[in-house]
DNA sequence: CGGTGTGATGACAGAACCTGTCATCACTTT
DNA sequence: AAAGTGATGACAGGTTCTGTCATCACACCG
């Protein structure tokens, strides 16, 4: 449907990531982004709530993936096992797009503003998992605890995945981190 | 030492909390805050990095309290026990200033911008605990996991404390939540 | 006692972010 | 062919935040 070039949203996101990477987030103005995408500043704000949001396109998809994975876990799986399965599904997705994920992460982690936005998105993911757990019968506060703890594991595992390009198996790191956490909680800190 | 009225920083923080409470965060401009404090806009930004930061005065103190509590935990305490002790110390502090904490929380939780800032502060608290754990010999990734998980417990327990004014014992809620988490991780979801 | 810092503040300009509002225009529907 | 729709452009304007220079009380120093 288009009098105009198609996919304005995608063009804006693409232009933004390029410019943020090329010359830095703070050095890039919204006008520059829209100029590269062949649009005007006002239109940028019709597609994205603010200058940060353009980098968090995929969050909604991640949320759905986590919620669906929790919902589809075997009925006899524990809450934490359902969360673990969801995390591994998301980890596999990250790994399948490793290059883009790493590039985006480099931009985000370099700017406090963007890290803040990332954290609230992660909180949203936790909330989605908690809701899905409650739907399958997990009571409170266990649902919230399992979900928040899952995000804590995701943070730690993701950081290790980023730091160690030689170990590309993110789902494996997630599984290992969860196991490690069980040890930590069980009071047997490993050597 | 002053040609000017003393404690400009405190006056600004006080005026800001008042105005945010009276008329809302978004409806309050920095100029209004400085007018009430008898200063100019430019001076506000000499004391606080931005309009949000003025609400996060106490974070540095909380960070020190957590780090100190972890460091001072018995040498034979596990990582998670040290984290638990630190959380309870912070919880006691919150409870001792319950009114102010609740008031501030009402403002923060009503605005996404402020929740973002809160989350990055919480991440800073986790980092401080992780550092303190490493100092006392906890290896990675256990240190990061224990710290991040501790913050996850804090979030859940704090929310319960806020939601249920009839149950004022935050340290107790923290201890119970940690115990509950051990159950969740041990795969025995309670009735 | 007078000169010279020093440090916090004021004054002012200006860039960038974000919003409200109305006009435009191709395409669709009736 | 007329009316409707939806995305975009154009423009004005408020707010946040920064850079820069001036001011002024106090401290220190000779």
């Amino acid at each position: 449907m288009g009098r105009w070039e198609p996919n304005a949203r995608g063009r804006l996101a693409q232009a933004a990531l390029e410019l943020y990477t090329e010359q830095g987030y703070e050095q890039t103005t919204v006008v520059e982004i829209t100029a590269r995408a062949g649009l005007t500043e006002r239109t940028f704000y019709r597609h994205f709530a603010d200058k940060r949001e353009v980098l968090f396109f995929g969050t909604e998809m991640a949320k759905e993936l986590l919620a669906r994975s929790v919902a589809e876990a075997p009925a006899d799986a524990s809450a934490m096992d359902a969360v673990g399965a969801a995390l591994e599904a998301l980890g596999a997705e990250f790994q399948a797009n490793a290059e883009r994920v790493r590039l985006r992460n480099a931009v985000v982690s370099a700017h406090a503003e963007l890290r803040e936005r990332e954290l609230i998105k992660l909180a949203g993911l936790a909330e989605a998992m908690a809701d899905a757990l409650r739907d399958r019968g997990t009571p409170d506060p266990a649902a919230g605890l399992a979900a928040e703890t899952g995000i804590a594991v995701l943070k730690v595992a993701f950081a290790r995945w980023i730091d160690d390009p030689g170990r590309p198996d993110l789902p494996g790191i997630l599984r290992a981190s969860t196991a490690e956490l069980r040890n930590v909680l069980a009071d047997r800190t490993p050597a």
Side-chain angles (χ1 to χ4, degrees), chain A:
Chain A
M1 41 294 279
R3 168 163 53 132
W4 302 276
E5 296 297 312
N7 195 21
R9 207 183 179 80
R11 271 154 51 218
L12 286 169
Q14 174 71 21
L17 182 57
E18 285 174 13
L19 286 167
Y20 291 170
T21 306
E22 289 171 15
Q23 58 187 27
Y25 168 77
E26 284 167 343
Q27 283 65 46
T28 302
T29 69
V30 173
V31 170
E32 286 179 284
I33 296 169
T34 54
R36 180 170 294 200
L39 294 165
T40 63
E41 186 185 17
R42 192 65 186 85
T43 295
F44 180 93
Y45 290 104
R46 290 198 178 95
H47 287 283
F48 303 101
D50 57 42
K51 192 185 166 187
R52 298 159 220 102
E53 196 66 17
V54 67
L55 283 174
F56 296 86
F57 226 159
T59 304
E60 203 51 38
M61 211 202 62
K63 197 184 254 184
E64 286 161 17
L65 175 60
L66 289 178
R68 183 156 23 93
S69 299
V70 167
E72 289 173 356
D76 64 337
S78 74
M80 200 62 204
D81 287 339
V83 167
L87 293 180
E88 287 184 37
L90 184 60
E93 194 67 31
F94 280 6
Q95 192 164 312
N97 304 78
E99 190 176 354
R100 195 151 35 102
V101 170
R102 283 179 189 276
L103 210 133
R104 183 184 152 289
N105 178 258
V107 175
V108 170
S109 60
H111 299 279
E113 266 182 70
L114 296 172
R115 263 183 292 135
E116 287 185 347
R117 181 59 49 88
E118 175 130 289
L119 290 173
I120 206 168
K121 295 297 186 185
L122 287 175
L125 298 186
E127 195 51 39
M129 285 198 291
D131 287 344
L133 284 172
R134 288 186 204 103
D135 281 348
R136 73 198 294 278
T138 305
D140 272 323
L145 282 167
E148 288 285 353
T149 305
I151 294 299
V153 170
L154 176 63
K155 281 188 196 174
V156 171
F158 184 78
R160 290 181 82 76
W161 183 67
I162 289 289
D163 285 348
D164 187 353
R167 190 144 65 105
D169 178 23
L170 181 51
I173 300 175
L174 282 161
R175 199 179 350 247
S177 298
T178 305
E180 179 85 24
L181 178 59
R182 288 189 207 267
N183 282 340
V184 169
L185 265 283
D187 190 1
R188 286 173 279 120
T189 50

